[in-house]
């Protein structure tokens, strides 16, 4: 309000440029990245940067990062990815035309690579996501002795380490995923910053869900809820409650888990937080499945598939099809072609993405299904082929089960 009273001109624009990104950051950290006011703040800042020219160049990284995150959280993944690509190009151009060792430019480049890694993850472009995230870590390792400052609610290095385990897991590299997960936890604990801690615990819940370790997932969700409740990080509090619901259902308490998810999901979506909704609906479907409510499970899963398709949120698409096949099988055991089509679709998507961690359960489900029909010889080669690509993680549930299936006589 005070700035608005000043006369138009460069001085007023400079003052407003200092204020708008800070306003966007405070809203994102405290309430939600997805608020329309966040977008307005960053877009207004971008206009001001254009007016002020070179003297405003230092503000561009914060603005670009904020806009990428805004559209990412709203599940406008194609827009977010386009902005992330522009962010990376701008960072590379800035380094080429400036000083390669400039800490501000290094931080700029790290955050840009982090952003692109996230957008590619949601799009299901896993190898590209990993390459960009690995680039961010490599840059940080080469310059970690410098004073790198980032204008984001969460540290971009920590954010990179938080999501990289999920990417590595999907790519079928579970031991490497666990190592990066442990590095991320250590980084957050060393920073001793509440927002960083909340951030890493939230992503850790997903990682342990995928590993088939619901106890660990619940532990991280509860720790996240404790932090986000204390510091009123509303965005992450909603997410952690949904993660807790998924973990509770996986641990044999589907009624409690389902109730928590149904309580939290609507308010999250009303706040514009659409990213990850396809996965959260998948979690809700599994809670209905565990509660022996197949009709409700299929209905929710259809919503999850629609959400994933409408928003190009492809990272878990293969598993959505696999679960739909299992649910159809439970309702109509004789629906051979329809069930098999979902399993085949799951395999096709996982192979195209290089998501070996999703290809394996899809291959197992199809093999069990066809074996029960006396057609196991049709599906065994695919299961053997994907199992043989793994070189780590054999103690984990999916790989243990696959080995057992393959040990059985066809």
């Amino acid at each position: 309000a005070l700035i608005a009273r000043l006369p138009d001109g460069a001085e007023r624009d400079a003052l407003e440029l200092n204020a708008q990104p800070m306003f966007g950051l405070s809203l994102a950290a405290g309430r939600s990245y997805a608020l329309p006011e966040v977008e307005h703040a960053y877009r207004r800042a971008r206009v001001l940067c254009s007016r002020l020219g070179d003297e405003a160049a230092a503000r561009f990284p914060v603005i670009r990062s904020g806009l990428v995150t805004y559209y990412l959280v709203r599940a406008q993944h194609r827009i977010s990815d386009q902005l992330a690509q522009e962010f990376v190009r701008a960072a590379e151009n800035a380094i080429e035309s400036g000083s390669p060792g400039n800490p501000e430019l290094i931080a700029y480049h790290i955050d840009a690579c982090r952003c692109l890694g996230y957008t590619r993850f949601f799009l299901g472009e896993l190898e590209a996501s990993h390459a960009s995230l690995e680039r961010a870590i490599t840059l940080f390792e080469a310059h970690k002795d410098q004073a790198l400052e980032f204008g984001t609610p969460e540290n971009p290095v920590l954010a990179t380490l938080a999501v990289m385990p999920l990417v590595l897991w999907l790519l079928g590299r579970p031991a490497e995923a666990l190592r990066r997960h442990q590095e991320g936890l250590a980084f957050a604990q060393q920073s001793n910053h509440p927002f960083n801690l909340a951030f890493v615990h939230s992503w850790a819940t997903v990682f342990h869900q995928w590993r088939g370790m619901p106890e660990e997932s619940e532990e991280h969700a509860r720790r996240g809820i404790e932090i986000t409740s204390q510091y009123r990080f509303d965005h992450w509090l909603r997410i952690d409650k949904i993660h807790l619901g998924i973990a509770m259902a996986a641990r044999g308490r589907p009624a409690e888990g389902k109730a928590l998810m149904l309580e939290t999901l609507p308010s999250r979506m009303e706040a514009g937080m659409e990213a990850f909704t396809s996965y959260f609906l998948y979690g809700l479907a599994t809670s209905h499945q565990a509660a022996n409510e197949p009709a409700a499970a299929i209905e929710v899963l259809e919503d999850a598939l629609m959400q994933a398709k409408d928003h190009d949120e492809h990272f878990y698409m293969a598993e959505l099809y696999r679960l739909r096949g299992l649910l159809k099988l439970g309702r109509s055991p004789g629906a051979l072609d329809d069930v098999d089509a979902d399993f085949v679709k799951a395999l096709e998507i996982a192979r195209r993405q290089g998501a070996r961690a999703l290809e394996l359960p899809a291959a197992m489900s199809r093999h069990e299904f066809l074996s029960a029909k006396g057609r196991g010889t049709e599906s065994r080669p695919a299961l053997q082929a994907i199992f043989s690509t793994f070189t780590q993680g054999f103690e984990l549930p999916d790989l243990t089960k696959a080995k057992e299936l393959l040990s059985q006589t066809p």
Side-chain angles (χ1 to χ4, degrees):
L2 291 174
I3 294 174
R5 297 174 187 170
L6 297 175
D8 290 341
E11 183 179 356
R12 170 181 160 169
D13 287 349
L15 287 170
E16 186 181 355
L17 179 57
N18 286 328
Q20 289 290 2
M22 293 302 296
F23 181 57
L25 283 170
S26 64
L27 286 174
R31 292 175 58 192
S32 171
Y33 297 87
L35 291 173
E37 295 93 333
V38 173
E39 180 194 25
H40 174 77
Y42 287 123
R43 288 209 171 276
R44 174 61 180 165
R46 196 168 187 173
V47 170
L48 294 167
C49 278
S50 297
R51 283 187 194 169
L52 293 168
D54 291 344
E55 65 183 276
R59 289 290 182 182
F60 262 118
V62 176
I63 296 164
R64 290 183 187 277
S65 182
L67 285 171
V68 169
T69 304
Y70 170 80
Y71 287 109
L72 185 77
V73 173
R74 295 190 73 90
Q76 297 183 37
H77 295 310
R78 293 293 176 189
I79 296 175
S80 183
D81 186 63
Q82 183 61 45
L83 290 169
Q85 291 180 63
E86 293 174 6
F87 193 5
V88 170
R89 286 195 295 269
E92 291 172 346
N93 290 339
I95 289 173
E96 286 179 10
S97 60
S99 171
N102 184 325
E104 289 185 2
L105 297 182
I106 297 301
Y108 187 173
H109 199 187
I110 289 171
D111 194 22
C113 290
R114 180 274 294 233
C115 285
L116 187 59
Y118 268 68
T119 62
R120 294 297 162 91
F121 164 73
F122 278 96
L123 292 170
E125 298 176 15
L126 302 176
E127 291 288 1
S129 173
H130 179 253
S132 193
L133 295 170
E134 195 65 53
R135 178 61 175 152
I137 295 299
T138 300
L139 285 166
F140 171 71
E141 290 294 336
H143 300 278
K144 62 183 177 182
D145 293 333
Q146 294 179 257
L148 301 176
E149 295 184 5
F150 303 99
T152 53
E154 69 286 343
N155 183 297
V157 179
L158 180 281
T160 300
L161 290 170
V163 78
M164 191 181 280
L166 276 66
V167 177
L168 287 166
W169 174 266
L170 291 174
L171 289 170
R173 296 156 65 177
E176 294 173 63
L178 181 59
R179 177 173 61 84
R180 287 300 194 188
H181 163 70
Q182 292 166 341
E183 290 174 2
L185 285 176
F187 191 100
Q189 288 161 0
Q190 185 177 4
S191 77
N192 199 31
H193 189 284
F195 199 89
N196 285 338
L197 288 165
F199 192 96
V200 77
H201 281 299
S202 187
W203 283 100
T205 61
V206 185
F207 177 58
H208 288 294
Q209 286 163 15
W210 292 0
R211 294 180 75 229
M213 306 292 179
E215 297 89 350
E216 287 86 344
S217 182
E218 181 171 341
E219 181 181 338
H220 283 288
R222 290 192 182 280
R223 181 66 181 123
I225 288 170
E226 181 182 331
I227 296 169
T228 55
S229 297
Q230 179 180 352
Y231 291 96
R232 301 187 67 180
F233 299 145
D234 293 346
H235 175 97
W236 292 108
L237 177 59
R238 293 187 183 102
I239 291 173
D240 288 337
K241 285 183 176 180
I242 298 170
H243 286 317
L244 177 59
I246 295 172
M248 292 168 73
R251 297 192 68 188
R253 301 178 342 252
E256 294 176 66
K258 182 176 58 175
L260 188 55
M261 284 184 269
L262 289 171
E263 173 191 318
T264 312
L265 272 167
S267 65
R268 181 180 179 274
M269 295 183 71
E270 286 169 9
M273 298 158 61
E274 296 274 357
F276 243 81
T277 298
S278 62
Y279 177 72
F280 291 146
L281 291 173
Y282 165 87
L284 180 58
T286 61
S287 72
H288 282 297
Q289 181 189 31
N292 196 27
E293 299 167 346
I298 287 181
E299 182 179 351
V300 171
L301 197 62
E302 293 292 354
D303 289 342
L305 279 163
M306 183 178 298
Q307 179 80 12
K309 292 172 184 176
D310 288 349
H311 294 276
D312 291 311
E313 192 166 278
H314 299 310
F315 69 92
Y316 220 56
M317 183 78 86
E319 178 63 9
L320 299 182
Y321 278 103
R322 187 192 75 88
L323 180 58
R324 190 172 74 170
L326 288 177
L327 293 170
K328 286 179 179 177
L329 180 60
R331 294 189 71 189
S332 307
L336 178 64
D337 293 340
D338 203 21
V339 171
D340 194 42
D342 275 345
F343 291 151
V344 169
K345 183 72 171 177
L347 285 166
E348 290 173 350
I349 294 170
R351 287 168 182 160
R352 185 169 64 248
Q353 294 179 345
R356 291 189 295 145
L358 301 185
E359 184 181 349
L360 182 65
M364 287 194 291
S365 293
R366 186 167 190 255
H367 183 58
E368 289 180 296
F369 169 62
L370 291 182
S371 293
K373 305 293 182 183
R375 295 170 51 190
T377 54
E378 296 178 32
S379 52
R380 184 182 176 86
L383 177 56
Q384 180 67 64
I386 182 59
F387 180 77
S388 67
T389 67
F390 283 86
T391 59
Q392 52 189 257
F394 291 105
E395 75 285 358
L396 295 166
D398 277 350
L399 285 162
T400 300
K401 181 179 178 180
K403 184 177 180 179
E404 181 183 341
L405 286 173
L406 288 168
S407 69
Q408 298 169 5
T409 303

